[in-house]
Amino acid sequence: MIIGRSKEQEILNSALQDTKSHFIAIYGRRRIGKTYLIRETFGQRFTFQHAGLSGGGMKEQLFAFYSSLKDAGYECQKTPGTWLEAFDSLKDLVRTSKEKRKIIFIDELSWMDTQKSNMIMALENFWNGFASARNDVVLIVCASATSWMLSKVVHNKGGLYNRLTKQMNLRAFTLKECEEYVQQNQLSLTRGQILQYYMIFGGVPYYWGFLEKGLSLSQNIDAILFSENAPLKEEYKYLYASIFKNPEKYIKIVECLAKKKFGMTREEIIAGIQCDNSGDLTVKLEELESCGFIRKYSAFGMKKKGALYQLIDHFTLFYYRFLEKKNTDEHFWSNQINTPMVNTWMGLAFEMVCLHHIPQIKEKLGIPGVMTEVNAWYCKEDKEKGIWGSQIDLLIVRKDQVINLCEMKYSGSEYSLQEKEYRAIQRKMQDFRTLSGTKYAIHPTLITTYGLMDTAYSGEIQVSIRMEDLFR
């Protein structure tokens, strides 16, 4: 049984039951489950299915398409020489099909779009001049290269402009959906262990498939990432290469951003990777953002010109902390439990998990339907103005004139809020109120794994949110 994706399946099944043709684009990062969703929803009811070749030239792509046509039962006379010929053969296959609804599934469409191949033009011709005029075609195209899909299909300014009937950006699983996966596969993991695994891999379904019964979480992580034949030891190398042409330039940006948790301005990135302030950098930053590796945000009250770019991909962050330098210890993770290095990483990774679960945090706050802005904020020390210098990773600015100033603290048990941390929160609130000039009420909000221990300062916290609230 497929986990989550109920809305997506509803859209796909609705298209199947409709009395008109549909053109559906599905995109999302590598390993997110696009192909699995389509195959689980439709089973083997495809009139035609095909997947582009990674790294193949136009000649190889056309031959692979020709081979898929033959697999679908079409009697091809010869390999097509152009994409117009290839899609013309697909038209013939549709015409001769006796199926009530002709489901056409083309996976990794971006790989088929080789230089000067005119593949997109042929796809336009197939849909505009043929399929859209019928009432029985369901054309589904997928790609892991999210930026390519957005520019070439979703936001196409040519023949495919406004032609899609549906589009889906397939997102990573939430903690709740990962817990459903664990339960469905009868894995004995607590919520704390699910959270830890999520901090490494995020909610990318493919990575959760490597967990094995009978092994502890630490043993699983060692087997998956650190053992001699670990299946994901080289995953980082393929992660970016499968999505971007010339991935080295993108990796250079990501590597730079990995050095600064809070994010970097465009100017800082330029200085860090020593590149020109050009449109090419703009494109690469936009592509990394569209694929979910980074986010661009403006700190509260600051101009968009000073926007920050922050690395938010769980696995990439883990890679630069533990995997970049080759490790020969096959039991590295088991041997590092409770070390300062791992504990520091857990604190940072937990913050990132919280940023990926804002809807769940809002639900706990009782404001799921209230309009909000999610921000971060920072200021430098200025003793003359009485400014301490603060960094706030999560501000939830609400339309009901309340701001939740969120502190995120990872702990293996109930969190004990001591005077030092409480005073730090007070200073942040003071800095923020002084420099922002806000008239909104500020609610100090603590997000922890197992809740707050009853201390002299715990009662000063307006709202306490626990790990279990993120599993909603």
Side-chain angles (χ1 to χ4, degrees):
M1 184 180 73
I2 192 167
I3 299 291
R5 314 301 191 208
S6 56
K7 290 182 181 178
E8 290 84 357
Q9 285 195 300
E10 188 178 323
I11 290 170
L12 293 170
N13 283 317
S14 175
L16 185 63
Q17 302 301 323
D18 206 353
T19 55
K20 65 178 182 180
S21 289
H22 280 271
F23 185 5
I24 302 171
I26 302 176
Y27 53 95
R29 60 167 287 170
R30 185 175 185 252
R31 314 292 207 189
I32 208 68
K34 301 179 295 297
T35 305
Y36 182 77
L37 168 66
I38 300 302
R39 289 181 175 164
E40 284 295 301
T41 302
F42 294 119
Q44 295 302 315
R45 291 177 289 171
F46 298 110
T47 302
F48 175 77
Q49 60 176 318
H50 173 70
L53 299 177
S54 173
M58 181 177 173
K59 184 178 178 182
E60 291 78 17
Q61 300 287 357
L62 283 167
F63 181 81
F65 197 87
Y66 158 78
S67 180
S68 295
L69 284 166
K70 288 201 301 181
D71 289 342
Y74 181 70
E75 295 183 8
C76 308
Q77 300 302 315
K78 60 176 183 176
T79 304
T82 67
W83 281 114
L84 281 171
E85 289 180 20
F87 277 96
D88 203 50
S89 295
L90 182 56
K91 291 177 189 177
D92 287 340
L93 178 64
V94 170
R95 290 188 189 103
T96 56
S97 171
K98 295 179 181 179
E99 292 161 336
K100 185 178 177 181
R101 298 288 281 173
K102 283 74 173 173
I103 305 171
I104 299 167
F105 175 37
I106 302 178
D107 203 0
E108 297 300 356
L109 184 69
S110 61
W111 291 347
M112 296 161 57
D113 185 32
T114 55
Q115 193 173 13
K116 297 180 180 179
S117 68
N118 292 323
M119 189 279 293
I120 288 293
M121 180 185 71
L123 179 65
E124 291 172 2
N125 176 262
F126 173 79
W127 176 255
N128 294 339
F130 175 73
S132 63
R134 299 174 63 97
N135 60 10
D136 59 354
V137 174
V138 179
L139 171 62
I140 304 165
V141 296
C142 288
S144 297
T146 302
S147 56
W148 180 93
M149 183 69 94
L150 290 171
S151 63
K152 294 294 184 77
V153 180
V154 178
H155 302 310
N156 185 289
K157 294 181 175 63
L160 288 181
Y161 175 73
N162 210 26
R163 299 298 194 214
L164 292 176
T165 57
K166 300 287 181 184
Q167 59 174 288
M168 300 180 204
N169 182 3
L170 214 57
R171 305 285 185 178
F173 279 173
T174 61
L175 281 167
K176 179 183 178 182
E177 289 167 330
C178 290
E179 183 177 44
E180 288 175 12
Y181 176 89
V182 164
Q183 292 171 347
Q184 183 174 295
N185 288 275
Q186 299 178 328
L187 297 164
S188 297
L189 295 177
T190 65
R191 281 188 166 179
Q193 292 169 330
I194 292 170
L195 173 65
Q196 286 185 37
Y197 197 76
Y198 197 99
M199 291 193 294
I200 299 173
F201 292 109
V204 179
Y206 175 79
Y207 299 139
W208 289 77
F210 288 94
L211 287 166
E212 290 188 20
K213 291 181 184 179
L215 298 181
S216 70
L217 179 66
S218 296
Q219 288 174 321
N220 261 303
I221 294 169
D222 281 330
I224 294 165
L225 289 171
F226 295 102
S227 68
E228 184 178 355
N229 298 312
L232 296 180
K233 184 177 278 189
E234 302 296 326
E235 173 67 8
Y236 182 78
K237 183 168 62 178
Y238 300 112
L239 180 58
Y240 290 86
S242 67
I243 298 174
F244 305 111
K245 293 178 181 177
N246 302 316
E248 298 80 13
K249 296 179 180 179
Y250 298 88
I251 290 173
K252 205 172 180 182
I253 295 171
V254 166
E255 185 178 0
C256 181
L257 290 174
K259 297 172 183 175
K260 197 168 180 182
K261 174 182 84 88
F262 198 64
M264 303 174 76
T265 63
R266 182 187 178 93
E267 290 69 30
E268 288 174 327
I269 295 171
I270 290 168
I273 66 175
Q274 298 180 334
C275 72
D276 295 329
N277 187 3
S278 64
D280 182 60
L281 176 62
T282 301
V283 169
K284 286 180 171 49
L285 288 170
E286 287 175 351
E287 289 178 338
L288 283 166
E289 185 180 7
S290 68
C291 292
F293 292 111
I294 69 173
R295 70 164 178 156
K296 178 184 179 182
Y297 70 95
S298 297
F300 180 84
M302 298 185 183
K303 296 178 181 177
K304 288 186 177 179
K305 252 188 174 178
L308 293 171
Y309 295 88
Q310 182 185 25
L311 179 60
I312 60 170
D313 180 63
H314 295 277
F315 182 69
T316 302
L317 287 163
F318 185 86
Y319 171 84
Y320 282 108
R321 185 59 66 102
F322 298 109
L323 296 171
E324 183 182 18
K325 294 176 182 176
K326 300 299 180 186
N327 197 307
T328 56
D329 182 2
E330 293 194 10
H331 306 285
F332 173 80
W333 198 250
S334 298
N335 292 332
Q336 294 299 318
I337 293 299
N338 289 327
T339 61
M341 177 175 62
V342 169
N343 290 340
T344 299
W345 166 78
M346 283 183 169
L348 299 175
F350 181 63
E351 292 177 13
M352 203 55 61
V353 173
C354 293
L355 291 178
H356 283 84
H357 287 78
I358 300 298
Q360 288 77 13
I361 293 172
K362 286 179 62 177
E363 186 173 337
K364 174 60 178 178
L365 292 172
I367 55 166
V370 176
M371 189 179 296
T372 60
E373 288 183 16
V374 177
N375 293 102
W377 186 82
Y378 65 94
C379 68
K380 294 181 180 179
E381 182 182 4
D382 189 336
K383 291 182 179 179
E384 291 183 7
K385 294 181 179 179
I387 302 301
W388 295 88
S390 298
Q391 178 177 310
I392 302 169
D393 293 308
L394 178 59
L395 281 172
I396 300 178
V397 185
R398 298 156 46 170
K399 201 73 173 177
D400 57 358
Q401 298 191 333
V402 172
I403 296 175
N404 289 96
L405 189 156
C406 301
E407 286 284 299
M408 296 158 278
K409 302 291 184 182
Y410 181 86
S411 174
S413 58
E414 284 185 316
Y415 186 75
S416 176
L417 181 65
Q418 299 301 316
E419 182 179 5
K420 183 180 178 181
E421 285 91 355
Y422 173 68
R423 298 298 176 202
I425 293 171
Q426 289 292 99
R427 288 195 291 270
K428 289 182 181 185
M429 291 174 63
Q430 180 184 321
D431 282 353
F432 179 72
R433 191 178 292 284
T434 300
L435 291 178
S436 70
T438 183
K439 299 294 190 292
Y440 284 16
I442 301 175
H443 289 183
T445 303
L446 205 58
I447 307 174
T448 62
T449 38
Y450 297 101
L452 266 177
M453 186 182 292
D454 188 14
T455 66
Y457 299 96
S458 59
E460 302 297 326
I461 298 300
Q462 289 280 333
V463 184
S464 175
I465 297 174
R466 308 199 303 174
M467 168 184 66
E468 66 180 32
D469 298 314
L470 303 181
F471 279 81
R472 289 172 179 260

